[in-house]
Amino acid sequence: QVQLVESGGGLVQSGGSLRLSCAASGSILRINTMGWYRQAPGKQRELVAADTGDGRTNYADSVKGRFTISRDNARNTVSLQMNSLKLEDTAVYYCNAGVRTVTNPLRIGDYWGQGTQVTVSS
């Protein structure tokens, strides 16, 4: 019904920058929150940044001032600009969206992308 496709991961040196993008497609009626999560080896998945779609954003304390989330509601896309990357930012990053679909408008479904690897080297 809804697909999230991420792009932009890769290998970068410490202090460098990367930009992740995610595009949602399918039978979308409305997208509520869109955001990014990450999961490092041996750790739980954690919220990195989220955009509620009405002007509010949330960031993990560890990325405040370094990462910026941006969203294009018309195109159903969300991006994550990551600057001043650190070794501890290494993880698989997942796009997430809460979506009301055309076929089930009363329910907010939780959708995930396939994940994109971000590796920060020293």
Side-chain angles (χ1 to χ4, degrees):
Q1 294 186 8
V2 176
Q3 298 80 39
L4 301 181
V5 178
E6 302 129 336
S7 61
L11 175 64
V12 64
Q13 285 192 325
S14 179
S17 298
L18 278 176
R19 184 176 181 86
L20 305 182
S21 296
C22 173
S25 62
S27 58
I28 297 170
L29 180 64
R30 176 184 171 84
I31 301 178
N32 288 13
T33 298
M34 292 189 84
W36 293 92
Y37 287 71
R38 67 186 180 187
Q39 187 167 19
K43 295 188 177 181
Q44 289 188 332
R45 191 173 297 189
E46 63 175 356
L47 174 69
V48 177
D51 185 315
T52 61
D54 58 3
R56 291 178 295 160
T57 56
N58 297 317
Y59 292 92
D61 288 342
S62 60
V63 307
K64 285 180 180 177
R66 299 188 298 122
F67 291 10
T68 303
I69 190 170
S70 59
R71 179 170 168 176
D72 185 333
N73 291 328
R75 298 186 177 185
N76 292 332
T77 61
V78 64
S79 297
L80 185 69
Q81 178 65 41
M82 305 185 294
N83 298 329
S84 302
L85 283 161
K86 303 177 180 180
L87 295 177
E88 51 264 41
D89 294 319
T90 296
V92 178
Y93 284 70
Y94 297 90
C95 178
N96 173 260
V99 182
R100 296 185 189 271
T101 62
V102 173
T103 53
N104 197 353
L106 299 182
R107 175 181 175 269
I108 300 175
D110 192 34
Y111 295 91
W112 293 88
Q114 79 283 0
T116 185
Q117 177 71 46
V118 171
T119 302
V120 183
S121 65
S122 59

